[in-house]
Amino acid sequence: MCKVPFLSLVYIAAALLLSIEALAQSMRDPTMPLTATVASSERELVLHSIIQGNGRKLAVINGELLHEGDVIAGMQNTQLINISSRSVTVQRNGQQMQLTLVDSYTTQSQATQ
């Protein structure tokens, strides 16, 4: 019978746990929308939702919550210009483009008193 020192077993267990964690990080997050895209400097812009109420307008583009005037993270020269009820206007490298909700789903928040 082969005797393996206890410390060696601890190292093996730690290595297994680290490799499992690395594998889990490389897997796709099942809670992310199917429209989510991989980040790159020229990635596609995806409008996920628009939230309006109490005088505020917010849009979720590429998973990021944005206000009018915000620059989209990881995308140089790309700014959210306008938010309407079903679409947003984005300016990228001096050119404006309109993104429209796929499901035309909008949310009106209720004032709390």
Side-chain angles (χ1 to χ4, degrees), residues 3-16:
K3 292 186 178 182
V4 178
F6 177 74
L7 194 53
S8 295
L9 291 175
V10 170
Y11 288 135
I12 292 170
L16 284 172

Side-chain angles (χ1 to χ4, degrees), residues 54 110-113:
N54 299 333
Q110 299 294 324
T112 56
Q113 297 181 9

Side-chain angles (χ1 to χ4, degrees), residues 2 5 14 21 52-53 56 73-75 87 100 106:
C2 178
E21 182 180 337
Q52 296 182 355
R56 294 177 24 169
M75 302 192 78
S87 65
T100 304
T106 59

Side-chain angles (χ1 to χ4, degrees), residues 1-75:
M1 187 159 124
C2 178
K3 292 186 178 182
V4 178
F6 177 74
L7 194 53
S8 295
L9 291 175
V10 170
Y11 288 135
I12 292 170
L16 284 172
L17 287 174
L18 289 174
S19 64
I20 290 171
E21 182 180 337
L23 176 64
Q25 288 177 357
S26 68
M27 295 176 66
R28 184 184 181 284
D29 181 358
T31 63
M32 289 295 290
L34 294 176
T35 58
T37 57
V38 177
S40 73
S41 61
E42 289 299 319
R43 68 183 176 180
E44 180 181 357
L45 293 170
V46 179
L47 176 61
H48 296 283
S49 63
I50 293 174
I51 305 159
Q52 296 182 355
N54 299 333
R56 294 177 24 169
K57 294 191 252 182
L58 303 166
V60 179
I61 300 174
N62 292 1
E64 181 183 1
L65 185 63
L66 301 163
H67 298 86
E68 289 179 343
D70 286 350
V71 175
I72 299 171
M75 302 192 78

Side-chain angles (χ1 to χ4, degrees), residues 78-106:
T78 305
Q79 183 178 23
L80 178 58
I81 302 298
N82 182 50
I83 301 172
S84 67
S85 63
R86 300 176 91 168
S87 65
V88 299
T89 304
V90 175
Q91 183 168 324
R92 179 192 254 180
N93 298 322
Q95 294 185 343
Q96 289 191 2
M97 64 180 80
Q98 187 172 23
L99 305 175
T100 304
L101 285 172
V102 175
D103 297 321
S104 297
Y105 179 77
T106 59

